[in-house]
Amino acid sequence: MSALHSTSAAEPVGSYAHARRAGNLLFLAGIGPRQRGSKDIPGVVLAGDGSVASYDIAAQVHSCFANVKLILDQAGSSWDRIIDVTVFVTDMKRDFATVNRLWGEYFANPATQPCRTTVEIKSLPQAGNAPINFEVKVVATVG
C-alpha cells in the first residue's frame, strides 16, 4: 500500500495523505473545495466580522471535483474509474438539487456512473478562512 500526497490539489487540513492505494483500488481522503495555496473557500462570501454571509454550493462542487481530478491524475487513475463516492453536505434541503444537477453533468455517461451516498452532516471542517459546505470521499480503480 502506498500513500499519495498530491503536489497540485489543495493541501490537507491535517496530517493525512490525499489518497492511499491498496492493490488496484485508490481511496481518497475527504476532499474539499479549497484550492492549493489559498485559504479562501470558492463561493464563500464573508461578512465584516469574518462570519459566512453566503456561500455558492455550485462553486464548491466544481472546485472540489477539480481537486479530485488532480489527485486521480497524479495517482494514475481517471474520472471514469471512480466506482464509489460519499458526498457530504451541510444543508441537504438547500443544496441537494444543485449538487444532484451538477452530479449529472460530471457523471453523464451511464456506463461509468459511480455509486453514490449523500449524507447531510452538521458541519465540515474549516479548511481555510471559512467552513466548507461540500466534501467527497472517493474510491476509484488504478491500473
Side-chain angles (χ1 to χ4, degrees), residues 2-4 23 25 48 54 68 72 79 88 90 94 100 106 116 126-127 129 142:
S2 60
L4 171 78
L25 293 177
S54 65
V68 169
L72 292 172
W79 193 256
F88 300 96
T90 58
R94 176 191 184 273
N100 207 39
Y106 279 93
R116 180 185 82 186
Q126 181 151 334
N129 62 6
V142 181

mmCIF file of all heavy atoms in Angstrom, residues 2-4 23 25 48 54 68 72 79 88 90 94 100 106 116 126-127 129 142:
data_model
loop_
_atom_site.group_PDB
_atom_site.id
_atom_site.type_symbol
_atom_site.label_atom_id
_atom_site.label_comp_id
_atom_site.label_asym_id
_atom_site.label_seq_id
_atom_site.Cartn_x
_atom_site.Cartn_y
_atom_site.Cartn_z
ATOM 1 N N SER A 2 0.484 2.224 -0.772
ATOM 2 C CA SER A 2 1.281 3.442 -0.836
ATOM 3 C C SER A 2 0.398 4.666 -0.695
ATOM 4 O O SER A 2 -0.736 4.698 -1.171
ATOM 5 C CB SER A 2 2.061 3.496 -2.148
ATOM 6 O OG SER A 2 1.181 3.479 -3.242
ATOM 7 N N ALA A 3 0.945 5.677 -0.016
ATOM 8 C CA ALA A 3 0.228 6.924 0.203
ATOM 9 C C ALA A 3 0.600 7.922 -0.881
ATOM 10 O O ALA A 3 1.717 7.923 -1.383
ATOM 11 C CB ALA A 3 0.574 7.491 1.571
ATOM 12 N N LEU A 4 -0.359 8.771 -1.238
ATOM 13 C CA LEU A 4 -0.142 9.816 -2.234
ATOM 14 C C LEU A 4 -0.380 11.171 -1.589
ATOM 15 O O LEU A 4 -1.436 11.402 -0.993
ATOM 16 C CB LEU A 4 -1.097 9.650 -3.423
ATOM 17 C CG LEU A 4 -1.103 10.818 -4.408
ATOM 18 C CD1 LEU A 4 0.122 10.729 -5.312
ATOM 19 C CD2 LEU A 4 -2.362 10.843 -5.217
ATOM 20 N N GLY A 23 -3.665 -2.405 -3.695
ATOM 21 C CA GLY A 23 -3.916 -3.203 -4.896
ATOM 22 C C GLY A 23 -4.301 -2.285 -6.036
ATOM 23 O O GLY A 23 -3.610 -1.315 -6.321
ATOM 24 N N LEU A 25 -7.086 -0.546 -6.029
ATOM 25 C CA LEU A 25 -8.057 0.421 -5.510
ATOM 26 C C LEU A 25 -7.339 1.642 -4.955
ATOM 27 O O LEU A 25 -6.297 1.539 -4.314
ATOM 28 C CB LEU A 25 -8.914 -0.197 -4.411
ATOM 29 C CG LEU A 25 -9.861 -1.303 -4.842
ATOM 30 C CD1 LEU A 25 -10.590 -1.875 -3.619
ATOM 31 C CD2 LEU A 25 -10.865 -0.798 -5.874
ATOM 32 N N GLY A 48 -18.191 41.308 7.453
ATOM 33 C CA GLY A 48 -17.131 42.104 8.044
ATOM 34 C C GLY A 48 -16.532 41.503 9.301
ATOM 35 O O GLY A 48 -15.361 41.697 9.603
ATOM 36 N N SER A 54 -22.674 34.299 2.958
ATOM 37 C CA SER A 54 -23.359 33.429 2.000
ATOM 38 C C SER A 54 -22.341 32.489 1.379
ATOM 39 O O SER A 54 -21.136 32.687 1.504
ATOM 40 C CB SER A 54 -24.040 34.255 0.898
ATOM 41 O OG SER A 54 -23.070 34.925 0.112
ATOM 42 N N VAL A 68 -10.394 16.502 -6.944
ATOM 43 C CA VAL A 68 -10.467 15.047 -7.125
ATOM 44 C C VAL A 68 -9.768 14.643 -8.420
ATOM 45 O O VAL A 68 -8.970 13.698 -8.440
ATOM 46 C CB VAL A 68 -11.933 14.549 -7.107
ATOM 47 C CG1 VAL A 68 -12.029 13.093 -7.560
ATOM 48 C CG2 VAL A 68 -12.541 14.730 -5.720
ATOM 49 N N LEU A 72 -6.643 12.067 -8.817
ATOM 50 C CA LEU A 72 -6.770 10.867 -9.648
ATOM 51 C C LEU A 72 -5.692 10.828 -10.718
ATOM 52 O O LEU A 72 -5.055 9.791 -10.931
ATOM 53 C CB LEU A 72 -8.157 10.809 -10.301
ATOM 54 C CG LEU A 72 -9.347 10.573 -9.373
ATOM 55 C CD1 LEU A 72 -10.650 10.738 -10.145
ATOM 56 C CD2 LEU A 72 -9.271 9.221 -8.708
ATOM 57 N N TRP A 79 -11.162 10.053 -14.011
ATOM 58 C CA TRP A 79 -12.545 10.330 -13.610
ATOM 59 C C TRP A 79 -13.464 9.144 -13.898
ATOM 60 O O TRP A 79 -14.313 8.810 -13.079
ATOM 61 C CB TRP A 79 -13.025 11.582 -14.341
ATOM 62 C CG TRP A 79 -14.297 12.133 -13.782
ATOM 63 C CD1 TRP A 79 -15.534 12.026 -14.331
ATOM 64 C CD2 TRP A 79 -14.460 12.863 -12.569
ATOM 65 N NE1 TRP A 79 -16.452 12.649 -13.532
ATOM 66 C CE2 TRP A 79 -15.814 13.180 -12.442
ATOM 67 C CE3 TRP A 79 -13.571 13.287 -11.569
ATOM 68 C CZ2 TRP A 79 -16.323 13.886 -11.361
ATOM 69 C CZ3 TRP A 79 -14.075 13.984 -10.493
ATOM 70 C CH2 TRP A 79 -15.440 14.282 -10.400
ATOM 71 N N PHE A 88 -20.790 14.626 1.221
ATOM 72 C CA PHE A 88 -21.177 15.251 2.480
ATOM 73 C C PHE A 88 -21.614 16.687 2.196
ATOM 74 O O PHE A 88 -20.868 17.448 1.578
ATOM 75 C CB PHE A 88 -19.999 15.267 3.460
ATOM 76 C CG PHE A 88 -19.485 13.897 3.787
ATOM 77 C CD1 PHE A 88 -18.396 13.374 3.100
ATOM 78 C CD2 PHE A 88 -20.089 13.124 4.763
ATOM 79 C CE1 PHE A 88 -17.908 12.109 3.394
ATOM 80 C CE2 PHE A 88 -19.614 11.852 5.059
ATOM 81 C CZ PHE A 88 -18.521 11.347 4.379
ATOM 82 N N THR A 90 -23.768 20.180 4.087
ATOM 83 C CA THR A 90 -24.197 20.719 5.381
ATOM 84 C C THR A 90 -25.652 21.182 5.378
ATOM 85 O O THR A 90 -26.196 21.458 6.443
ATOM 86 C CB THR A 90 -23.297 21.887 5.813
ATOM 87 O OG1 THR A 90 -23.336 22.902 4.818
ATOM 88 C CG2 THR A 90 -21.867 21.414 6.051
ATOM 89 N N ARG A 94 -31.331 22.858 1.176
ATOM 90 C CA ARG A 94 -30.914 23.998 0.356
ATOM 91 C C ARG A 94 -30.107 23.571 -0.866
ATOM 92 O O ARG A 94 -30.259 24.134 -1.940
ATOM 93 C CB ARG A 94 -30.069 24.953 1.221
ATOM 94 C CG ARG A 94 -29.496 26.144 0.465
ATOM 95 C CD ARG A 94 -28.459 26.865 1.356
ATOM 96 N NE ARG A 94 -27.928 28.060 0.746
ATOM 97 C CZ ARG A 94 -26.885 28.092 -0.085
ATOM 98 N NH1 ARG A 94 -26.278 26.979 -0.443
ATOM 99 N NH2 ARG A 94 -26.461 29.238 -0.582
ATOM 100 N N ASN A 100 -27.150 17.517 -7.079
ATOM 101 C CA ASN A 100 -27.650 16.446 -7.942
ATOM 102 C C ASN A 100 -27.561 16.832 -9.425
ATOM 103 O O ASN A 100 -27.176 16.013 -10.268
ATOM 104 C CB ASN A 100 -29.088 16.103 -7.551
ATOM 105 C CG ASN A 100 -29.435 14.685 -7.880
ATOM 106 O OD1 ASN A 100 -28.628 13.775 -7.718
ATOM 107 N ND2 ASN A 100 -30.651 14.492 -8.350
ATOM 108 N N TYR A 106 -21.274 15.961 -14.365
ATOM 109 C CA TYR A 106 -19.953 15.351 -14.208
ATOM 110 C C TYR A 106 -19.965 13.849 -14.498
ATOM 111 O O TYR A 106 -18.952 13.292 -14.915
ATOM 112 C CB TYR A 106 -19.408 15.586 -12.793
ATOM 113 C CG TYR A 106 -18.798 16.948 -12.614
ATOM 114 C CD1 TYR A 106 -19.552 18.017 -12.142
ATOM 115 C CD2 TYR A 106 -17.455 17.169 -12.904
ATOM 116 C CE1 TYR A 106 -18.986 19.267 -11.963
ATOM 117 C CE2 TYR A 106 -16.875 18.417 -12.737
ATOM 118 C CZ TYR A 106 -17.649 19.462 -12.273
ATOM 119 O OH TYR A 106 -17.081 20.708 -12.100
ATOM 120 N N ARG A 116 -23.268 6.267 -5.352
ATOM 121 C CA ARG A 116 -23.187 7.494 -4.557
ATOM 122 C C ARG A 116 -24.058 7.381 -3.320
ATOM 123 O O ARG A 116 -25.174 6.883 -3.374
ATOM 124 C CB ARG A 116 -23.648 8.698 -5.375
ATOM 125 C CG ARG A 116 -23.585 10.003 -4.580
ATOM 126 C CD ARG A 116 -24.139 11.177 -5.341
ATOM 127 N NE ARG A 116 -25.580 11.207 -5.250
ATOM 128 C CZ ARG A 116 -26.350 12.068 -5.932
ATOM 129 N NH1 ARG A 116 -25.807 12.921 -6.770
ATOM 130 N NH2 ARG A 116 -27.646 12.043 -5.789
ATOM 131 N N GLN A 126 -13.322 23.598 9.008
ATOM 132 C CA GLN A 126 -12.902 24.901 8.493
ATOM 133 C C GLN A 126 -11.586 24.642 7.789
ATOM 134 O O GLN A 126 -10.583 24.330 8.423
ATOM 135 C CB GLN A 126 -12.742 25.923 9.610
ATOM 136 C CG GLN A 126 -12.333 27.263 9.054
ATOM 137 C CD GLN A 126 -12.816 28.415 9.895
ATOM 138 O OE1 GLN A 126 -13.805 28.312 10.599
ATOM 139 N NE2 GLN A 126 -12.120 29.525 9.815
ATOM 140 N N ALA A 127 -11.593 24.739 6.478
ATOM 141 C CA ALA A 127 -10.434 24.355 5.680
ATOM 142 C C ALA A 127 -9.658 25.558 5.180
ATOM 143 O O ALA A 127 -8.889 25.458 4.254
ATOM 144 C CB ALA A 127 -10.890 23.500 4.496
ATOM 145 N N ASN A 129 -10.324 30.048 5.488
ATOM 146 C CA ASN A 129 -10.873 31.184 6.220
ATOM 147 C C ASN A 129 -12.358 31.022 6.530
ATOM 148 O O ASN A 129 -12.979 31.922 7.059
ATOM 149 C CB ASN A 129 -10.631 32.488 5.453
ATOM 150 C CG ASN A 129 -11.316 32.502 4.102
ATOM 151 O OD1 ASN A 129 -12.072 31.588 3.758
ATOM 152 N ND2 ASN A 129 -11.050 33.524 3.322
ATOM 153 N N VAL A 142 -7.252 1.782 -10.163
ATOM 154 C CA VAL A 142 -5.988 2.217 -10.756
ATOM 155 C C VAL A 142 -5.407 1.041 -11.528
ATOM 156 O O VAL A 142 -5.540 -0.102 -11.117
ATOM 157 C CB VAL A 142 -4.981 2.642 -9.661
ATOM 158 C CG1 VAL A 142 -3.672 3.118 -10.280
ATOM 159 C CG2 VAL A 142 -5.558 3.696 -8.763
#
